[in-house]
Amino acid sequence: MSTNHPAPAPRILIAGGGIGGNAVALQLLRAGIRATVVERADAPRPGGQAVDLRGPSREVADRMNLLPGIREYQLDERGMKFVDAEGRDIVRMPTELFDGKGAVAEIEITRGDFNQVLLEALAEAGGVDYRYGEWITELAQDETGVDITFASGMRDRFDLVIGADGLHSGVRRMVFGPEEQFSTYLGGYMSFFTLPTPETAENHWFTAHSLVGATNIGLRPDADPSTSKALITIRTEADPALRRDVSAQQDLVRRRLAGGGWEAARFTAAMAEATDFYFDELARIDMPTWWKGRVVLLGDAGYCGSPLSGHGTAMALIGAYVLAGEIAAHASDPERALPRYEEVLRPFVAKAQELPPGGLKAMTPKTSFGIRAGHTVSKLMTSKAMKPLMMKMLTKSESYDLPDYTTQAVSR
Ligand SMILES: Cc1cc2nc3c(=O)[nH]c(=O)nc-3n(C[C@H](O)[C@H](O)[C@H](O)COP(=O)(O)OP(=O)(O)OC[C@H]3O[C@@H](n4cnc5c(N)ncnc54)[C@H](O)[C@@H]3O)c2cc1C
């Protein structure tokens, strides 16, 4: 990548060391721009279950030269199945049924492992100024830069600030307005954590079970076969008291799983021991614009689709690639990159944020009648006659015309 910018490289601050923040830091570094990353957590955040790379996100991972690293952690997931309360199969959907484009895609990797791949690539590329346990407390911008005060008390000035700090973004709140203005509650919560693989688990299969009372539990393979990822989806009214209160969150999970069939009891027991318990509301972020002056939002902070959309990681990764590409192309005047980033990325995000038909309701039926009806629909989905319609639905965000920033990329 060309590093002979006529002007010195812009000083860029990235808030958030998740997929979006780390991916943009990596591409900027390869463009000769060594950003500062502040991550609120004290260390890389573990946790999360399988996220997939398909179509344009797989292409971006390839262009970013991440596929060799991904292959080291890649999951061998062979399909998805629904089971009854005794663990007996009801419907099986092998990966090849939808040509690797269904619920289980060709490349699956846990979110924590993917983040690790990005961190390793960052270290290999020379590393950036990375600060854990740090976040922005004050932000004031003028025409030539952004003044930042950090939680540690440190102050600094940057040419550009990237808010990649997730669904509950602090940068978004400080610059664009309160979260309620942009967030739509999608009707429930999701929780993920690691547990020892139960003996009943079928290797390499994503197994799901619906409980009466609008709750769904799932088990997905981990890179280490001795452990698996629990996935719990709960449909309920929004409860602000659940925000950041882990014991209230776990109480809700416990109540919903009490007396449930299949591995519900094991999930509840394992949750208490989990070191990577994750719980958050299902919400969508819609913003009229993703940038203001010298501040720009990336990933969930700007356009969260929730895990229900299935494209959160894809949006963050592609967003990072486009944002870094545009900044590298406008290195002497990085402000000009921001409208271009938005213009290029909007069409992809518009499709990727769409929820599957039926949304959360279809995923979490309330009654046993609803659960049976859901199984009937799933069986129908596996029929040959439905395949063309299913493929159209599953590939709707794959037709994105991904710009090529390789002239700015040193990795190729
Ligand atoms: C622990 C965890 C597990 C997840 N598991 C799944 C999953 O299993 N399936 C799924 O579909 N999605 C999951 N997600 C969400 C998924 O990672 C994102 O939808 C997607 O990857 C987009 O990433 P992002 O970088 O925009 O946001 P995120 O991945 O949420 O990353 C944001 C980062 O910013 C940090 N942060 C938050 N506030 C601040 C602040 N004020 N200053 C600095 N840093 C801050 C957070 O600690 C986090 O590391 C998970 C997110 C996390 C954090």
Side-chain angles (χ1 to χ4, degrees), residues 152-362:
S152 61
M154 260 182 70
R155 289 165 187 236
D156 208 341
R157 186 171 169 86
F158 295 88
D159 296 306
L160 211 67
V161 173
I162 300 175
D165 47 350
L167 174 60
H168 308 295
S169 166
V171 172
R172 187 182 60 226
R173 178 175 35 76
M174 281 183 251
V175 177
F176 298 85
E179 186 165 318
E180 308 76 74
Q181 216 173 307
F182 309 108
S183 178
T184 307
Y185 180 66
L186 297 176
Y189 295 86
M190 259 194 192
S191 172
F192 312 114
F193 54 88
T194 305
L195 78 170
T197 302
E199 310 88 66
T200 60
E202 179 173 350
N203 278 344
H204 311 297
W205 279 74
F206 173 6
T207 308
H209 173 63
S210 290
L211 278 67
V212 171
T215 303
N216 185 286
I217 58 177
L219 191 71
R220 297 194 80 164
D222 207 346
D224 171 359
S226 70
T227 54
S228 294
K229 300 294 186 197
L231 153 64
I232 298 166
T233 312
I234 293 174
R235 180 154 57 92
T236 184
E237 300 287 301
D239 179 0
L242 289 171
R243 181 79 63 95
R244 295 206 178 91
D245 183 345
V246 173
S247 69
Q249 296 166 0
Q250 295 199 348
D251 273 350
L252 173 66
V253 172
R254 234 174 262 120
R255 280 199 308 277
R256 285 301 187 96
L257 268 56
W262 185 46
E263 294 287 0
R266 200 186 299 260
F267 275 36
T268 309
M271 179 176 68
E273 308 293 323
T275 52
D276 60 350
F277 177 75
Y278 169 89
F279 180 102
D280 209 342
E281 68 194 52
L282 294 165
R284 181 185 150 119
I285 298 291
D286 292 286
M287 305 199 61
T289 176
W290 298 330
W291 62 278
K292 201 177 212 178
R294 291 171 173 268
V295 180
V296 62
L297 300 175
L298 168 66
D300 281 3
Y303 34 87
C304 180
S306 87
L308 287 181
S309 76
H311 296 293
T313 298
M315 286 191 275
L317 186 68
I318 296 173
Y321 174 75
V322 172
L323 181 57
E326 292 297 338
I327 292 173
H330 299 91
S332 59
D333 191 5
E335 252 185 299
R336 284 182 46 217
L338 309 188
R340 270 291 297 159
Y341 154 69
E342 178 154 350
E343 187 189 328
V344 170
L345 194 66
R346 275 276 179 200
F348 175 73
V349 166
K351 283 187 196 163
Q353 274 191 315
E354 282 174 23
L355 298 185
L360 183 60
K361 261 192 175 162

